[in-house]
């Protein structure tokens, strides 16, 4: 349910009388106004007196839209026929005349008509926009229809249908929630009484015009019609989340299948960045929109994997594609657009350019790929870029995944190297940061931020604190400006603040105390902390020491404000050690949408767990945890760092591994829900071999 926040006071006008907010001006429109209350059911009594409702229809100025006003009931549903109708003029303006004022709430809708796109000036046909008005007054009223008011109306009606309450309260709550999701918390007035203005350079009208332009940029990028796109956004945002679902159910995208989770997260964010770059007057607004979209649950799941060896790319047109850095096999693509029939294949064009064994010029072993999930525009077309790297090299290769080509290469200035128990590396892993357009690489010097779309730009280095070593597998929450990397030697906790470009470290004494002190602090049984993965919704870090039976879980927050080169992390986090029935787990990955975690060991260990909510009074780490029995015939890519991924595809969590010792490999696709539902023998171990059960694990050759 959507909740009312601190801005409710300034929104009182949304929940009460909505008087005309345009200096008393009433537009006469381009069409005829509707008449009176004919056809309205007795459920909507008269409020007495007459009224006019004037406003604009804006997606760009919409000419010739059919505008109608209806009474609605307590659940936001239309009651009876239209109380008034009109057409918008060339400026998008309309006036509705009401001979008798309805006593209750109304909704104004607009459909059809044409407008010039703010993004590319093409002529588009409007789908449907709406604005919910809790109460009209006798005389002049204002009601403007825009992307924002339509999203608010959808969210308010969803709340009324699920939770009840008054229309006024639901509209206020929805306004606050939708403005937060779309990055419009700077909006100061009332969306109902505010018309977008493409000539404005600041303020509420400027924000609304910027949002309309970003939506148009997304339409141009995705090639989805305005009618389908606007309806899909209203459906997606109505439940208070941008995750490609409406109340947990898939959203139809016209005749083009179902809505991808990425369309209104990373692709929307990319459209905001592109529109702001093309129209600098809106850059301040579009950066707010882009940043907010990166913080949704699904954007976090798309953008972050704990392993730099597996990276996802989600688009509306291509569905879910995963890319594996499969060592000597090169780059492997896994098509998960139909999870029931995944298909793995080598990416021949890129491999031929980068793999020395296949005639390329760069790597004998491809060890990492990290994708910037937020598209950027090249020559007016949205492109997705990624970085490829080899552990033993300080050279990186940028690839344009949209076109499947190598975009360039550069040699990074990395002075230090990293030595783990099973590897010596120049680059150990990476995290995508879609809001900043960077890939953060784990190096011996610290965290190095590289723009994969512009390798000539100077990288940003956040230096590693003295006497610490970066973890083999990073955990990231870029929406909160954080990369989480406990010291590999387990002497302290290190966190990188991406916005400040600073490192923070906890004192050894505080770290020991957090871990329980004394013998409890030896939860890791002396093993180095190989990996960490973050649940960005629960704000929990999952730490996996090398090859032992204990998993550490720590609540986290973003440290900030240090004036020193390295800041201090204050105590106050919570820690719990969780005993695993499998003692060979070293790497992990978390899907923050479902809170499901995938674990892989040094060679043969596998496990799946579901994180427990740390807000509970008796936090135990995992609400469920099931491991596979040890089987020496398997070898799940045993090299350091570890190859593991967990991503949400079509509303379900899947784990991903490479099966094989030194290649050639098989891609493992693990249905984490099926794993958790399978019979167990005892002590949290599966009763049978999951690798031999195709309903749990699919092994794919390429």
């Amino acid at each position: 349910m959507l909740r009312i926040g601190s801005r409710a006071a300034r929104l009182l006008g949304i929940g009460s009388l909505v008087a005309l907010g345009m200096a008393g001006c009433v537009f006469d429109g381009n069409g005829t106004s509707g008449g009176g209350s004919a056809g309205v059911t007795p459920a909507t009594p008269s409020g007495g007196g007459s009224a006019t409702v004037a406003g604009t229809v804006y997606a760009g100025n919409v000419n010739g839209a059919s505008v109608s006003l209806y009474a609605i009931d307590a659940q936001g549903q239309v009651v009876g026929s239209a109380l008034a109708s009109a057409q918008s003029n060339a400026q998008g303006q309309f006036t509705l005349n009401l001979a008798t004022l309805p006593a209750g709430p109304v909704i104004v809708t607009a459909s059809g008509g044409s407008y010039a796109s703010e993004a590319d000036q093409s002529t588009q046909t409007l789908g449907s926009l709406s604005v919910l008005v809790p109460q009209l007054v006798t005389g002049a009223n204002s009601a403007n229809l825009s992307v924002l008011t339509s999203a608010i109306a959808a969210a308010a009606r969803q709340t009324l249908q699920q939770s009840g309450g008054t229309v006024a309260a639901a509209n206020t709550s929805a306004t606050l929630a939708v403005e937060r999701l779309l990055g419009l918390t700077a909006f100061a007035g009332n969306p109902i009484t505010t018309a977008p203005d493409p000539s404005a350079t600041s303020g509420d009208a400027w924000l609304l015009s910027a949002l309309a332009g970003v939506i148009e940029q997304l339409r141009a990028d995705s090639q989805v019609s305005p009618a389908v796109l606007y309806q899909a956004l209203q459906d997606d945002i109505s439940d208070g989340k941008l995750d490609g679902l409406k109340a947990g159910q898939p959203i139809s995208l016209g005749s083009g299948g179902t809505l991808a989770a990425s369309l209104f997260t990373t692709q929307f964010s990319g459209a905001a960045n592109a529109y702001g770059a093309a129209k600098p007057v809106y850059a301040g607004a579009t950066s707010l929109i882009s940043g907010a979209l990166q913080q949704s649950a699904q954007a976090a799941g798309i953008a972050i994997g704990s392993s730099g060896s597996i990276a996802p790319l989600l688009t509306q047109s291509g569905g879910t594609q995963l890319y594996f850095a499969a060592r000597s096999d090169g780059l492997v693509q896994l098509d998960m657009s139909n999870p029931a029939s995944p298909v793995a294949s080598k990416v021949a064009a890129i491999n031929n350019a980068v793999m020395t064994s296949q005639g390329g010029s760069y790597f004998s072993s491809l060890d990492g790929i990290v994708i910037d999930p937020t598209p950027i525009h090249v020559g007016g077309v949205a492109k997705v870029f990624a970085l490829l790297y080899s552990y033993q090299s300080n050279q990186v290769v940028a690839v344009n995944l949209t076109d499947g080509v190598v975009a360039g290469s550069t040699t990074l200035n990395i002075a230090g190297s990293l030595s783990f128990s099973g590897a010596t590396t120049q680059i150990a892993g990476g995290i995508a940061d879609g809001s900043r357009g960077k890939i953060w690489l784990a190096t011996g010097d610290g965290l190095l931020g590289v723009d994969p779309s512009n390798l000539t730009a100077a990288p940003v280095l956040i230096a590693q604190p003295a006497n610490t070593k970066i973890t083999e597998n990073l955990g990231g929450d870029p929406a909160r400006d954080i990369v989480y990397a406990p010291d590999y030697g387990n002497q302290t906790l290190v966190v990188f603040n991406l916005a400040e470009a600073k490192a923070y470290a906890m004192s050894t004494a505080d770290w020991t105390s957090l871990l329980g002190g004394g013998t409890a602090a030896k939860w890791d049984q002396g093993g180095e902390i190989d990996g960490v993965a973050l649940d960005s919704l629960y704000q929990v870090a999952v730490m996996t020491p090398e090859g032992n039976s204990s998993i550490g879980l720590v609540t986290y927050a973003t440290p900030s404000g240090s004036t020193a080169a390295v800041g201090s992390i204050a105590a106050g986090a919570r820690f719990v050690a969780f005993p695993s029935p499998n003692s060979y787990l070293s790497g992990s990955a978390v899907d923050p949408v479902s809170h499901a975690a995938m674990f892989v060991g040094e060679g043969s260990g596998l496990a799946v767990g579901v994180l427990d909510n740390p807000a509970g009074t008796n936090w135990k780490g995992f609400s469920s945890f099931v491991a596979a029995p040890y089987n020496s015939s398997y070898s799940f890519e045993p090299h350091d760092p570890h190859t593991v991924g967990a991503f949400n595809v079509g509303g379900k969590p899947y784990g991903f591994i490479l099966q094989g010792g030194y290649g050639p490999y098989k891609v493992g696709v693990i249905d984490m829900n099926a794993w958790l539902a399978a019979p167990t023998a005892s002590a949290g171990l599966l009763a049978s071999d999951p690798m031999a059960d195709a309903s749990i694990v699919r092994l794919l050759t390429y």
Side-chain angles (χ1 to χ4, degrees):
M1 185 178 74
L2 303 174
R3 292 176 290 186
I4 297 176
S6 60
R7 293 172 64 230
R10 71 96 177 143
L11 292 171
L12 286 176
I14 293 177
S16 57
L17 304 181
V18 185
L20 184 66
M22 290 177 278
C25 177
V26 179
F27 304 123
D28 51 319
N30 239 8
T32 60
S33 62
S37 57
V40 178
T41 70
T44 306
S46 168
S50 62
T52 59
V53 179
T56 60
V57 183
Y58 194 85
N61 291 325
V62 182
N63 181 36
S66 297
V67 184
S68 297
L69 182 149
Y70 299 88
I72 57 174
D73 63 18
Q75 290 193 323
Q77 299 300 304
V78 168
V79 177
S81 57
L83 299 177
S85 298
Q87 270 195 330
S88 62
N89 65 14
Q91 288 72 49
Q93 302 162 346
F94 66 89
T95 296
L96 298 165
N97 295 316
L98 290 161
T100 304
L101 183 72
V106 300
I107 191 167
V108 182
T109 66
S111 61
S114 62
Y115 62 95
S117 168
E118 291 288 327
D120 57 15
Q121 297 305 305
S122 63
T123 299
Q124 298 294 322
T125 301
L126 183 69
S128 178
L129 295 176
S130 61
V131 57
L132 192 155
V133 183
Q135 182 65 60
L136 296 174
V137 299
T138 301
N141 297 264
S142 173
N144 294 284
L145 293 83
S146 66
V147 175
L148 179 59
T149 63
S150 299
I152 291 168
R157 296 169 88 177
Q158 182 77 3
T159 296
L160 290 168
Q161 291 164 26
Q162 290 189 336
S163 308
T166 67
V167 172
N171 205 53
T172 299
S173 174
T175 299
L176 296 167
V178 169
E179 287 176 352
R180 174 183 56 80
L181 286 168
L182 296 180
L184 301 180
T185 54
F187 201 95
N190 185 336
I192 299 174
T193 58
T194 305
D197 181 359
S199 68
T201 57
S202 63
D204 292 348
W206 169 74
L207 287 170
L208 288 177
S209 186
L211 178 62
V214 171
I215 285 285
E216 275 300 301
Q217 185 66 63
L218 181 62
R219 176 203 56 75
D221 291 348
S222 62
Q223 297 298 298
V224 176
S225 72
V228 173
L229 187 68
Y230 281 41
Q231 186 59 54
L233 175 60
Q234 293 169 45
D235 288 341
D236 195 358
I237 208 168
S238 65
D239 58 5
K241 296 179 289 185
L242 285 171
D243 58 1
L245 304 171
K246 181 179 181 180
Q249 299 301 311
I251 295 169
S252 175
L253 202 66
S255 60
T258 57
L259 178 65
S262 63
L263 186 60
F264 294 123
T265 52
T266 52
Q267 289 174 259
F268 201 176
S269 177
N273 294 337
Y275 190 65
K279 297 199 172 183
V281 67
Y282 292 126
T286 57
S287 66
L288 296 173
I289 295 170
S290 177
L293 295 169
Q294 290 288 332
Q295 296 183 37
S296 76
Q298 191 62 48
I302 292 168
I304 302 168
S306 100
S307 169
S309 301
I310 307 175
L313 171 60
L314 281 76
T315 63
Q316 184 61 52
S317 58
T320 300
Q321 307 292 320
L322 298 180
Y323 288 85
F324 291 69
R327 306 291 173 105
S328 58
D329 289 346
L331 189 63
V332 174
Q333 182 180 21
L334 175 65
D335 184 349
M336 286 288 290
S337 55
N338 180 5
S341 301
V343 178
S345 58
K346 288 186 177 181
V347 186
I350 291 176
N351 288 339
N352 290 341
V354 302
M355 300 300 296
T356 56
S357 62
Q358 300 178 43
S361 305
Y362 300 101
F363 308 129
S364 60
S365 176
L366 180 61
D367 299 316
I369 174 171
V370 185
I371 300 171
D372 177 359
T374 302
I376 70 156
H377 281 65
V378 178
V381 180
K383 309 285 186 182
V384 174
F385 286 82
L387 277 187
L388 307 181
Y389 58 87
S390 176
Y391 293 142
Q392 279 74 43
S393 173
N394 60 355
Q395 189 171 46
V396 294
V397 174
V399 292
N400 171 350
L401 289 177
T402 303
D403 299 328
V405 297
V406 171
S409 68
T410 192
T411 300
L412 300 173
N413 182 18
I414 302 173
S417 62
L418 294 164
S419 294
F420 303 119
S421 58
T424 298
T425 74
Q426 296 293 312
I427 301 171
I431 288 287
D433 183 356
S435 62
R436 296 176 182 83
K438 283 186 169 52
I439 305 298
W440 294 96
L441 300 174
T443 76
D445 298 341
L447 207 61
L448 193 63
V450 179
D451 181 350
S453 67
N454 182 13
L455 293 182
T456 62
V460 176
L461 175 65
I462 310 178
Q464 188 74 23
N467 303 314
T468 68
K469 183 188 292 187
I470 206 161
T471 317
E472 284 185 27
N473 290 95
L474 299 174
D477 186 354
R480 290 187 175 86
D481 304 320
I482 192 172
V483 166
Y484 197 100
D487 175 35
Y488 180 69
N490 196 13
Q491 301 302 306
T492 186
L493 171 65
V494 176
V495 174
F496 297 95
N497 183 312
L498 305 180
E500 296 178 350
K502 289 184 179 179
Y504 288 78
M506 184 175 283
S507 71
T508 301
D510 283 346
W511 179 238
T512 302
S513 176
L514 173 63
L515 301 182
T519 56
K522 298 299 182 182
W523 65 278
D524 63 333
Q525 302 175 22
E528 304 94 347
I529 299 179
D530 274 8
V532 60
L534 300 189
D535 183 322
S536 56
L537 294 189
Y538 281 167
Q539 290 182 253
V540 169
V542 180
M543 302 183 296
T544 45
E546 180 173 291
N548 67 56
S549 59
S550 187
I551 298 168
L553 300 103
V554 182
T555 60
Y556 69 84
T558 308
S560 63
S562 174
T563 57
V566 178
S568 299
I569 300 176
R574 298 174 65 196
F575 170 84
V576 64
F578 185 88
S580 166
N582 188 319
S583 61
Y584 296 94
L585 303 178
S586 296
S588 63
V590 175
D591 164 36
V593 179
S594 65
H595 310 294
M598 184 77 224
F599 296 87
V600 66
E602 301 262 338
S604 300
L606 284 179
V608 174
V610 178
L611 289 166
D612 189 27
N613 190 339
T617 55
N618 185 27
W619 184 41
K620 55 187 179 182
F622 291 92
S623 58
S624 60
F625 193 95
V626 180
Y630 179 79
N631 189 325
S632 61
S633 65
Y634 300 124
S635 185
F636 306 124
E637 218 306 300
H639 300 77
D640 290 331
H642 307 286
T643 300
V644 59
F647 303 103
N648 201 280
V649 182
K652 285 182 60 177
Y654 290 88
F656 301 93
I657 57 173
L658 286 176
Q659 156 61 10
Y662 294 90
Y665 298 102
K666 293 181 180 179
V667 168
V669 181
I670 299 170
D671 184 328
M672 296 166 79
N673 287 345
W675 180 295
L676 293 166
T680 55
S682 61
L685 287 172
L686 289 172
S688 59
D689 179 7
M691 303 295 288
D693 186 342
S695 69
I696 300 175
V697 180
R698 288 174 176 263
L699 289 175
L700 307 174
T701 58
Y702 45 78

